[in-house]
Amino acid sequence: MKNKRFGLIRNVYKRLAFWLACLAALAYSSWPLGYVLNPSVGRYQLASQLESPHQPFNWLFITTDVLTGLFIVIVGALQLRSKHKRRLLNLCISGYIVFGLLVAITALVPINCDPTTTSCGPLLHDPKVVVHGLASILSVLCLFASTVIIAPTIYLTRRSKSTNIISFIVLSSWIIFGVGALIEIYLKITGNTLQYFFITVCSLSIIFVISSIEHIYLHEKRKLAYEPVEIDDNL
């Protein structure tokens, strides 16, 4: 039984969806490039400022987020076409697809101010700030929803110690970010360390969600292959 489980895990690494998820996660976590290409922003300001107009290499950071959305939409289309479907899985897939689309929209509507301060001015004077902010917030909520949906689903389907540990790490990371955000707000801490941590958590969540769905599909496919065929004696 143990060999079958490990074989199933190894098979996920052969799936196109898994590698596209890795590419999407890598593109989404482009913030380390900011330390090299634009250190004045990368070290002290929010990651979104790397995409602001007139910032050096802003086109590169915009491109990586757009590629994130593209890779995620392709994966979503592949997984929605699978014959092994559940309503919750379809909801989960739809959630991360919306996340990818909103990430791309956020990148294509960059802002030239810091939304955490008063430097953006009145929102009515710059609707880009509203679009950028709403798309950013909704994208996070959609990915979080997909993560929360898939974690118990993969547990009930696989009951594997390794997948349970991974689920625990990913969900714990979201909780750590939530607690850290509350502490930052209460203590009025500035900086981008927590945001970079959060971006990394989102990247891991992308891989976790998509890989878990592939796990479930492969598990159900193998289960169907081993199901006994009932023979009707009346035939």
Side-chain angles (χ1 to χ4, degrees):
M1 187 69 175
K2 191 174 284 189
N3 290 333
K4 288 182 180 179
R5 286 184 177 180
F6 283 122
L8 203 60
I9 292 173
R10 283 195 296 268
N11 285 336
V12 170
Y13 301 142
K14 301 175 183 178
R15 308 282 285 188
L16 176 61
F18 170 78
W19 291 108
L20 286 174
C22 290
L23 288 174
L26 185 63
Y28 190 67
S29 283
S30 61
W31 59 265
L33 295 175
Y35 284 92
V36 179
L37 301 177
N38 192 354
S40 61
V41 173
R43 293 177 183 176
Y44 308 107
Q45 298 183 40
L46 297 180
S48 60
Q49 298 302 298
L50 293 168
E51 300 175 351
S52 295
H54 313 302
Q55 289 291 344
F57 298 100
N58 67 321
W59 59 268
L60 177 61
F61 296 101
I62 292 173
T63 301
T64 55
D65 276 358
V66 172
L67 286 175
T68 297
L70 178 62
F71 291 140
I72 285 177
V73 169
I74 293 173
V75 175
L78 290 173
Q79 292 192 328
L80 284 174
R81 288 178 60 188
S82 175
K83 294 179 181 179
H84 304 280
K85 294 182 179 178
R86 299 185 187 181
R87 185 174 298 176
L88 275 179
L89 291 188
N90 286 340
L91 184 62
C92 180
I93 295 169
S94 300
Y96 78 68
I97 288 176
V98 174
F99 163 78
L101 291 173
L102 291 175
V103 166
I105 291 173
T106 302
L108 292 172
V109 188
I111 55 176
N112 198 21
C113 61
D114 188 348
T116 61
T117 66
T118 57
S119 62
C120 289
L123 295 181
L124 292 176
H125 294 172
D126 193 354
K128 283 186 177 181
V129 177
V130 178
V131 174
H132 184 96
L134 287 177
S136 181
I137 294 170
L138 290 175
S139 68
V140 169
L141 292 177
C142 288
L143 182 61
F144 178 69
S146 293
T147 306
V148 171
I149 290 171
I150 201 62
T153 306
I154 190 70
Y155 170 76
L156 294 173
T157 302
R158 297 283 294 135
R159 297 185 180 276
S160 167
K161 184 178 291 186
S162 59
T163 53
N164 291 344
I165 292 173
I166 294 171
S167 299
F168 176 78
I169 291 172
V170 173
L171 291 176
S172 297
S173 298
W174 280 90
I175 294 172
I176 291 170
F177 166 74
V179 173
L182 291 175
I183 293 174
E184 272 199 350
I185 293 171
Y186 181 75
L187 298 179
K188 297 180 179 179
I189 300 173
T190 59
N192 55 18
T193 302
L194 185 63
Q195 190 201 30
Y196 287 165
F197 169 76
F198 176 66
I199 292 173
T200 304
V201 171
C202 288
S203 294
L204 293 175
S205 298
I206 292 169
I207 299 174
F208 168 68
V209 170
I210 293 172
S211 298
S212 296
I213 293 172
E214 290 297 306
H215 270 299
I216 294 171
Y217 285 170
L218 287 172
H219 176 76
E220 291 183 350
K221 186 176 181 180
R222 175 167 292 188
K223 187 178 178 182
L224 287 171
Y226 284 96
E227 276 186 358
V229 178
E230 294 184 4
I231 301 175
D232 191 346
D233 293 333
N234 294 323
L235 295 178

